[in-house]
Amino acid sequence: MMMRMVLTLSALLCASPALAVDLLQIYQDAQSNDARYAAAKAAYQARQERLPQAKAGLRPSINLDARYNYNDIDVDYDSPTFNSGRRNYSAYDYGVNLTQPIYRRQNMLAVSQAEIEVAQAGTELDLAAQDLILRTAQAYFDVLLARYNLRTERSQQSALAEQLEQAKRNFVVGTATITDQREAQARYDLTSARVLVAENDLRVAQEALQVLTGKPITDELAGLRPSVDFEAPTPTSIDAWVNRAYANNLEILRARQTVEIAQTEIKVQRAGHQPTLDLVGSLSQNHQGSSAFGVGSDTSAGVIGVEFNLPLYQGGAVNSRTREAIAAEQRSADELENTRRTVAQSTREAYLGVTSGIAQVSAYQQAVSSTELQLESTKLGQEVGVRTQVDVLNAEGQLALARLDLARSVYNTLLSQLRLQASVGRLVEADLLSINDLLEENAGANANTGTTTNNSANTSNSARPGPAANTKPK
């Protein structure tokens, strides 16, 4: 069953200045400058070379070798037939040697293993792309929330400053006690401390965003539009989402590929007992200089044949490496099971984050409406003398907290939607663009227009591209 609600955030978000930077611009900067994503792309490119390296083991190897020797010999013969003495001469030879593997089981398996490793590198790059989207959205919303919190605290500080000045004046004229003045001073000092904390939180959030973009955040960030639509995830069954995650989650896929690599490694090590057969050939030229002990010569030779090798005993190394590979395969299988359980948990958390977030947003929206009415009533009560300025400030503080909680629930719900997409391996740049459509430079200018914008967690397979689309470097 589809659930939809329209949120009005008119008092929640303040206007941003012209030329505000939006989420898409931050993401594009992060794609170009984020060191973690750049390292992932470099790792992907490096892993691509595993396959040609493995295939080289099935191709011929050709070597050119050459030698030159200068010989200085002093010989003393016992027989008078030969002349004793010291002689010297030069000798050199050079040739080309070729080896073409005909049957090498280990080399064949190494190619299969490299193909899996290359596929795993693509999976890891897709994971890095998803992670970049999540980190960018998280950092962006952290700045927006910290900015709004700072504005709320400064507004409270300004209101309490007015109350403090009024308390001081009333004390001077005798209409208030020293206790009233000290209470006002204490409230003002406490809020001033919270302003310092909020300023620091905003600076920390901006620094975290700067880590992604690689440059200072000098411009204001675009805020959310005054109204946002949320839809419940489709399908509505949490188990259906978990099953999707089992089938498509990239962490699980990477773990499966690790198991396949480990299983192939067992075969590679066991192949150490198997024979090898190579085609060998060579062309050589040899020159032997003349001396008093013999006649010089020039020799040319061409050789072609096959070479068979059968390992009989290698000190137990093959068996040991095989046992090691079997243990590594068991470890990877256990890690796969752990990954499945972890992904199932994170998928459930993301799903509940969306569904619970929608309910929380609705509740906080109602809370904001109620506290707005409370504030109006309190101000009216102050006018007729049944409420004090302190009561008005308390009502304003409650309204500010309700609006802050509403903002936090909106941001958390949007992030939960992204995490839910990532859990099923379908988080792509288009998901970030849909959130970017909810932003505008002057977010508060249209606060009362009632405009609605869709933002859905509906993820039917036919409507979304695969996770690997446009993520690998050219």
Side-chain angles (χ1 to χ4, degrees), residues 303 345 368 442 460:
V303 178
Q345 178 186 2
V368 169
N442 296 303
S460 61

Side-chain angles (χ1 to χ4, degrees), residues 162-207:
E162 293 180 4
Q163 182 198 19
L164 177 59
E165 291 301 320
Q166 182 180 4
K168 290 179 179 180
R169 290 193 300 268
N170 292 341
F171 176 72
V172 171
V173 299
T175 59
T177 65
I178 189 63
T179 301
D180 296 330
Q181 179 180 335
R182 289 174 177 173
E183 286 179 352
Q185 183 71 55
R187 290 166 64 93
Y188 175 78
D189 292 341
L190 182 60
T191 301
S192 297
R194 289 202 299 264
V195 167
L196 294 176
V197 173
E199 289 175 346
N200 182 72
D201 290 343
L202 177 58
R203 182 62 183 272
V204 170
Q206 290 173 334
E207 291 293 331

Side-chain angles (χ1 to χ4, degrees), residues 48-67:
Q48 297 305 297
E49 300 303 321
R50 297 286 181 88
L51 187 55
Q53 291 171 13
K55 288 182 177 180
L58 302 178
R59 295 168 180 162
S61 61
I62 304 175
N63 301 306
L64 171 66
D65 60 81
R67 284 170 295 278

Side-chain angles (χ1 to χ4, degrees), residues 33-327:
N33 302 312
D34 179 59
R36 190 189 303 182
Y37 185 60
K41 291 190 291 185
Y44 170 81
Q45 293 170 343
R47 292 277 291 277
Q48 297 305 297
E49 300 303 321
R50 297 286 181 88
L51 187 55
Q53 291 171 13
K55 288 182 177 180
L58 302 178
R59 295 168 180 162
S61 61
I62 304 175
N63 301 306
L64 171 66
D65 60 81
R67 284 170 295 278
Y68 174 84
N69 299 307
Y70 176 77
N71 301 275
D72 188 353
I73 302 175
D74 189 0
V75 180
D76 186 8
Y77 290 111
D78 293 334
S79 172
T81 305
F82 301 97
N83 295 324
S84 301
R86 185 170 184 173
R87 302 290 186 270
N88 56 71
Y89 63 95
S90 61
Y92 62 85
D93 64 86
Y94 59 88
V96 176
N97 301 300
L98 177 144
T99 301
Q100 169 63 62
I102 298 176
Y103 177 81
R104 286 182 176 265
R105 177 65 174 167
Q106 284 181 312
N107 295 8
M108 298 174 185
L109 292 170
V111 173
S112 299
Q113 191 175 47
E115 290 174 343
I116 303 173
E117 291 177 349
V118 169
Q120 187 181 58
T123 302
E124 291 175 350
L125 183 60
D126 291 337
L127 275 169
Q130 286 195 158
D131 178 66
L132 181 64
I133 292 174
L134 290 173
R135 289 188 291 120
T136 301
Q138 179 74 65
Y140 190 94
F141 289 149
D142 284 348
V143 173
L144 292 185
L145 191 61
R147 183 181 70 184
Y148 180 76
N149 183 53
L150 177 59
R151 289 174 178 172
T152 300
E153 295 295 349
R154 283 177 175 170
S155 176
Q156 287 288 300
Q157 183 185 40
S158 178
L160 289 171
E162 293 180 4
Q163 182 198 19
L164 177 59
E165 291 301 320
Q166 182 180 4
K168 290 179 179 180
R169 290 193 300 268
N170 292 341
F171 176 72
V172 171
V173 299
T175 59
T177 65
I178 189 63
T179 301
D180 296 330
Q181 179 180 335
R182 289 174 177 173
E183 286 179 352
Q185 183 71 55
R187 290 166 64 93
Y188 175 78
D189 292 341
L190 182 60
T191 301
S192 297
R194 289 202 299 264
V195 167
L196 294 176
V197 173
E199 289 175 346
N200 182 72
D201 290 343
L202 177 58
R203 182 62 183 272
V204 170
Q206 290 173 334
E207 291 293 331
L209 193 58
Q210 181 178 337
V211 170
L212 287 173
T213 61
K215 56 185 180 182
I217 306 301
T218 57
D219 299 319
E220 193 74 15
L221 301 182
L224 283 175
R225 289 181 179 178
S227 55
V228 179
D229 282 352
F230 283 105
E231 293 182 356
T234 303
T236 58
S237 169
I238 192 171
D239 292 333
W241 283 94
V242 172
N243 291 332
R244 281 188 179 185
Y246 285 152
N248 302 313
N249 181 269
L250 296 181
E251 292 281 359
I252 293 178
L253 176 58
R254 180 174 62 177
R256 288 197 189 108
Q257 291 166 335
T258 300
V259 171
E260 293 176 10
I261 292 172
Q263 291 171 342
T264 307
E265 181 64 19
I266 295 175
K267 299 176 182 178
V268 170
Q269 297 305 327
R270 284 175 174 166
H273 287 304
Q274 297 190 10
T276 62
L277 183 65
D278 301 323
L279 174 67
V280 296
S282 66
L283 293 174
S284 62
Q285 180 71 38
N286 177 272
H287 171 77
Q288 183 78 27
S290 62
S291 69
F293 312 115
V295 179
S297 65
D298 287 289
T299 306
S300 298
V303 178
I304 187 170
V306 292
E307 186 174 288
F308 175 82
N309 179 61
L310 177 62
L312 296 179
Y313 181 69
Q314 297 179 347
V318 173
N319 291 336
S320 177
R321 286 193 291 264
T322 301
R323 292 192 299 269
E324 179 185 7
I326 292 173

